[in-house]
Structures are given as C-alpha cells and as structure tokens.
Amino acid sequence: VTSPFHRIEEFVPLTPEAITRLSLWKENRRVGRRLDTIRREGDPVGHVYFLIGGWVSSSLLMSDGRRQIVKIHLPGDMLGFPSLALEKAGETLDALTDIEFCAIPAVEIGQLFEQYPAVAAGLFLSAQKERVALMQELSWVGSSSSLGRLAAFLLDLYHRLDAAGMVTNQGFDWPLTQTHLGELLGMTAIHTNRMFRQLDKTGYIAREGRHIRVIDMHGLRSLTPSMPPPVASRVGWERLGCPGKS
Amino acid sequence: VTSPFHRIEEFVPLTPEAITRLSLWKENRRVGRRLDTIRREGDPVGHVYFLIGGWVSSSLLMSDGRRQIVKIHLPGDMLGFPSLALEKAGETLDALTDIEFCAIPAVEIGQLFEQYPAVAAGLFLSAQKERVALMQELSWVGSSSSLGRLAAFLLDLYHRLDAAGMVTNQGFDWPLTQTHLGELLGMTAIHTNRMFRQLDKTGYIAREGRHIRVIDMHGLRSLTPSMPPPVASRVGWERLGCPGKS
DNA sequence: CGTGGCTTTGAATCATATCAACTGACGTGG
DNA sequence: CCACGTCAGTTGATATGATTCAAAGCCACG
C-alpha cells in the first residue's frame, strides 16, 4: 500500500540506496494477459518475480492430472522464490487477470545478500511470513468442512485485499472461477459450487457476478474453525539485534 | 548426515569461521522428554531451535479445538523460524520422542545476517526449501484420498529419514500415534486407523509395533498421486551470483 | 529401617463395528 | 463457466473392548 516494496520494508527499514537499487527491477517491467503462464513447473529457475498489478496463482501439478493451487498472489507479492532452492521450478505461475510484473534474475538476489544485509533480512522474514501463511492454509484445508474452508479462504483473502487497498465498500473483484476455487480448497468444482451457493444463501456474502461483497463478517467468521492470523508487522530487524541499523 | 549444519551448507559452502560461530550454538544444548512442549503457540518469540536428536512436531491450534500438525521435524532441522516474522509464536513445538536440541536467541540470527552473508543465504534458501515442502504437503492433504495421503506422507518421511541415515534394512522407528497421524493428514484418528490397516493389508508396508518397514516401495508410490519432490541440493550461492565466494 | 523388585492400577493406544453425513461422480441445461 | 439434480462411495461420529505401557504402591529381603 505505502511502498511498492512493502513485503520487504514491513520488517526492515531500507536505506535510500537500497530502495534505489530495488527500483532498478522496474526496468524489466512486463505485462501479461489473463491465463498467461509466467513460468511453468519444471522450467529452469532463472528468475523470480515481483507482482505489480493483477492476480496470480501458484500451483503444483500432481501425477494424476489434478492441480493444487497453493497460493493466490496479489499486487506487491514476490513470486517464485521457493523455487530458488530447486534446480527446476517447483511451481507454476498463472495469471488470473491481466497482470504487470517485474522479472528479477536469480543472481541478483545473491548480490543483494552480499551488499544489503537489510534487504536480505527483509526477504528472509518475508519468506518466513509466507511459511506461516502456508501453515495456516494447510490448517484449514486439512481439517475443516468444505464450507469452513471456503469461508476461511474468503476471510483470509478479504484481509489481504484490504491491506492492499483493493476493498471498497466491503466488496472486491472476483476473477476466480469455481474450478480455481476447487483446486485451491482441495475439492471438486461441483462441490465448490454447492458450497458457494450455500454460503450465498446464508447472506453473509453476496455474489454479484465478478464481484463479491461481505455482508456479515462476524457470521462469516463463525463458519470457520481457524483463527485469524496472529500476524504482526514491524518486527524483525530490531528484534534481530540491529537496533539503529539502516 | 555429513555436517550438523547440513540444512544450511547444503546450499552454501561455509567458511571455517562461520562454522566455528555456528558451533557456539551447542553451548545452549538442552534435552527434552517425549511429550514435552518446547514452545507453545502464543509465546513470545525469543528463540529459534536447532534439533540435534529426536522427533518434533510443529502444529497449529484451531478455535474448534482441533489441531493441525504442519510438519514432522527430524534431527538436523531448524525449528521455529516461521515465527520470527510474528510477535507471538504461531506454532507449537512438541517433542514426539526424547530429544536433544539447541536454543538460539533470535537476535543471533540478525547478527549472522550482517556478519556472514553466506550463512544468511543458506538460511534463506533453507526457508525456501521448507516452503516447497509445505506446498507439497498441502498438495496431498488437499487433494488425494485418505489412503493416498497416508502413502504420500510415509514416502516423504521415508526419504527424509533415509537422508538422515535413520533407515536400516528398509525400516525405521515409528514414534507417532494414530492420533498424531490423523492430525497431520487432516482426518480422524479412527479413519486413520482404518486406512493404516488397509495399507498394511496391501503388503506394501509392514507394521511391527513401534517400527515400520517398507516392503514394496513401488507399490506404495502407486497409491499416491503426488510426485516425488523435484528437489535438488547443491544449488544456490553459485546460482545466486557469487561463484568463488567463501 | 532402607532398598530392590514385583504387582496393581489407570491411562493411552489400537482395533473393530455400525450408522449418519459429507463429498465425489455423472448427467443435463442455461 | 455456472446452476442443479441423483446416486454411489468415502469419511466422520459414536460406542466398545483388547492391549500396551508406565507410574504408583506394596512386599520381602537385606
């Protein structure tokens, strides 16, 4: 919301030089259209990505042909980082809307680690926060009823959209198909449809074509057994023992 | 297996000084007994941990009382890192066996980032690898049948145990209760029991009390729709653009 | 009287059956 | 791509008993 590099700065204040350096990323600015694939699972890992605008899904293919979406990315997110630990990309990145993003050479990340410890710490803590998000996603995909999963996802998404300033009047754009939703929640698209209609009938949300409004946040929350994320921003560098740094 | 700090060195070669520095961790060596809780969800985040011996589960509590185990940690693993991005710990760490571990002050990590970029990169890539592992776990918890989930977990565990030198004669110790297994796979303990017995009857595995042997690896693999991890070690620092470094 | 070894007891774990509820599969049309 | 039926298969809920394990208590012997 505030800075384009909020995912990094949220933990660690950056020097002007560091910000200037990161801004060079924008030279590799690209656009993509809905349904474009940014990078496919199995591709060599030459780049990571910084999402400027639009929605992107990150998914895994399974040998039986099923697909598991592991994360819905929103503007400001860093994409493709997990695959840095792999020889070949472990995740497919698909554009869910028209998008705008930067491609960042992987070698650039190594240079940043040497030259800007603060950036390194920011990237590191950002990765840890993503791990927390994944753990929570696992917790509701694994345990609750399908209606609960749907509600939990919508709540989480709502909060993330809100933090990105993409919620107006309790409503937001909805580019996901029910097939996407099913692949994300680990259930069939048909059942997703059933549950989505059922949730609609509760009146807690209202679906208006490619737009969704949250009518009763409290009611929505009552459907999910998972707790709202105990996340806290503004921790990290100081906590990490470098108070006056940078 | 090779080095105690394999999780870090697997990506980045470390200088002798760095290794000496990391070895100081051992001064805070501690032991714990089965069922002990190392750290509870909600506790302030003062430390991270390095597991020397034994098994540890990392789990999330949900408001309906259910518990989701998100990872089974084995010797050599780094514990508690995701919570560095949070004010209060987001995960509970429970000893599944008697254990031996080091407690590392969180501030220490920040100092390492400043003084040893190679260690920073190693920790960073290790975190990314953990993200990949979580994504894969999500992919089988979310999608496959309960028997498939069980098989996928056993396969993954087997490979990790093997890498840690904890497999002998295709068999390994089994300290998990069926309740643990259910909490991990997102199903009831009763159903876990059903599926475990069913898997046993296929003959692909043999349960012998607190010990399990894999009889037919290929058969086991045929039960799971998820693909074996496309992981590759020995990537990273060079790839990250610092070839001759350290 | 103190200590070692045996026994009792209770909790935790595993096995199994039955029935209800949830979810997936298939088909059809808008 | 979404809506809506029907039916079959999977999974969850509840109940009950067997078995294992460990801690506490007891007894006999030194």
Side-chain angles (χ1 to χ4, degrees):
Chain A
V1 200
T2 64
S3 151
F5 307 115
H6 178 257
R7 292 295 180 285
I8 303 174
E9 290 190 279
E10 130 181 66
F11 297 106
V12 184
L14 299 183
T15 58
E17 310 100 73
I19 292 182
T20 304
R21 166 65 176 271
L22 296 185
S23 297
L24 292 180
W25 289 351
K26 298 216 174 120
E27 313 224 328
N28 267 348
R29 196 188 202 115
R30 299 187 198 169
V31 295
R33 307 197 52 181
R34 180 174 128 87
L35 300 186
D36 279 359
T37 297
I38 300 177
R39 186 190 63 188
R40 209 175 302 275
E41 195 174 341
D43 286 352
V45 183
H47 297 82
V48 293
Y49 308 90
F50 173 59
L51 184 59
I52 299 175
W55 298 36
V56 170
S57 74
S58 152
S59 61
L60 269 56
L61 259 69
M62 331 209 14
S63 53
D64 62 358
R66 242 198 61 88
R67 186 168 78 141
Q68 175 72 39
I69 296 182
V70 293
K71 171 116 189 175
I72 300 293
H73 291 285
L74 301 180
D77 279 357
M78 313 288 310
L79 316 182
F81 273 72
S83 293
L84 283 178
L86 307 178
E87 259 181 18
K88 298 180 173 186
E91 27 157 25
T92 300
L93 300 172
D94 294 301
L96 296 169
T97 67
D98 290 348
I99 57 170
E100 193 177 348
F101 66 102
C102 305
I104 306 158
V107 292
E108 165 99 0
I109 305 299
Q111 291 164 9
L112 288 173
F113 264 72
E114 270 210 292
Q115 298 164 21
Y116 299 96
V119 173
L123 289 172
F124 175 71
L125 291 173
S126 174
Q128 301 300 357
K129 189 176 171 186
E130 288 299 324
R131 279 178 74 182
V132 173
L134 263 175
M135 283 159 45
Q136 297 195 138
E137 185 176 346
L138 184 62
S139 79
W140 34 267
V141 167
S143 71
S144 54
S145 69
S146 50
L147 188 64
R149 280 181 242 180
L150 178 56
F153 168 67
L154 287 177
L155 269 174
D156 180 68
L157 182 67
Y158 183 90
H159 289 128
R160 290 175 55 219
L161 284 165
D162 198 21
M166 296 168 75
V167 172
T168 41
N169 202 20
Q170 259 101 76
F172 51 89
D173 284 333
W174 181 255
L176 298 180
T177 70
Q178 294 181 357
T179 301
H180 288 138
L181 203 45
E183 288 171 342
L184 178 72
L185 301 176
M187 53 206 230
T188 58
I190 294 92
H191 196 58
T192 303
N193 177 274
R194 246 195 305 243
M195 293 299 105
F196 214 172
R197 277 181 288 141
Q198 181 175 334
L199 182 59
D200 202 353
K201 266 196 296 191
T202 65
Y204 298 158
I205 68 165
R207 291 181 298 161
E208 299 152 349
R210 302 216 156 285
H211 199 262
I212 287 189
R213 262 187 329 125
V214 174
I215 309 294
D216 182 350
M217 176 71 73
H218 192 273
L220 195 55
R221 216 187 306 271
S222 74
L223 293 179
T224 132
S226 64
M227 17 217 284
V231 184
S233 50
R234 286 270 128 238
V235 289
W237 198 238
E238 318 87 82
R239 153 93 53 77
L240 289 184
C242 306
K245 187 71 187 183
S246 162
Chain B
V1 200
T2 64
S3 151
F5 307 115
H6 178 257
R7 292 295 180 285
I8 302 175
E9 290 190 277
E10 124 180 72
F11 297 106
V12 184
L14 299 183
T15 58
E17 310 100 71
I19 293 182
T20 305
R21 167 65 176 273
L22 297 186
S23 297
L24 293 180
W25 289 352
K26 299 219 174 117
E27 314 224 329
N28 268 346
R29 197 188 202 112
R30 298 187 199 170
V31 295
R33 306 198 51 183
R34 181 175 126 87
L35 299 185
D36 279 359
T37 297
I38 299 177
R39 187 189 63 188
R40 209 175 302 275
E41 195 174 340
D43 286 352
V45 183
H47 297 82
V48 292
Y49 308 90
F50 173 59
L51 184 58
I52 300 176
W55 297 36
V56 170
S57 74
S58 151
S59 60
L60 269 57
L61 259 70
M62 330 209 17
S63 53
D64 62 358
R66 241 198 62 89
R67 186 169 76 142
Q68 175 72 39
I69 296 182
V70 293
K71 171 114 190 176
I72 301 293
H73 291 286
L74 301 179
D77 280 357
M78 312 288 310
L79 315 182
F81 273 72
S83 293
L84 282 178
L86 306 177
E87 260 181 17
K88 298 181 173 186
E91 27 158 24
T92 300
L93 299 172
D94 294 302
L96 296 169
T97 66
D98 290 348
I99 57 169
E100 192 176 350
F101 65 102
C102 304
I104 306 158
V107 293
E108 166 100 0
I109 304 299
Q111 292 164 9
L112 288 173
F113 264 72
E114 271 210 291
Q115 297 165 22
Y116 300 95
V119 173
L123 288 173
F124 176 70
L125 290 173
S126 174
Q128 301 301 357
K129 189 176 171 185
E130 287 299 324
R131 279 178 74 182
V132 173
L134 263 175
M135 284 159 46
Q136 298 196 137
E137 186 176 343
L138 184 62
S139 79
W140 34 269
V141 168
S143 70
S144 55
S145 70
S146 51
L147 188 64
R149 280 181 242 180
L150 179 55
F153 168 67
L154 287 177
L155 269 175
D156 180 68
L157 182 67
Y158 183 90
H159 289 129
R160 290 175 54 218
L161 284 165
D162 199 20
M166 296 169 75
V167 172
T168 41
N169 203 19
Q170 260 103 77
F172 51 88
D173 283 334
W174 180 256
L176 298 179
T177 69
Q178 294 181 356
T179 301
H180 289 137
L181 204 46
E183 288 171 342
L184 178 73
L185 300 176
M187 53 206 231
T188 57
I190 294 89
H191 196 57
T192 303
N193 177 274
R194 249 195 301 244
M195 294 299 105
F196 214 172
R197 277 181 289 142
Q198 182 175 334
L199 183 58
D200 202 352
K201 265 196 297 190
T202 65
Y204 297 159
I205 67 165
R207 292 181 296 162
E208 300 153 347
R210 301 214 157 287
H211 199 264
I212 287 189
R213 260 184 333 124
V214 174
I215 308 294
D216 181 351
M217 176 71 73
H218 192 273
L220 195 55
R221 216 186 306 270
S222 75
L223 293 179
T224 133
S226 63
M227 16 216 285
V231 184
S233 50
R234 284 270 130 239
V235 288
W237 197 237
E238 314 90 310
R239 154 94 52 77
L240 288 183
C242 306
K245 187 71 186 184
S246 163

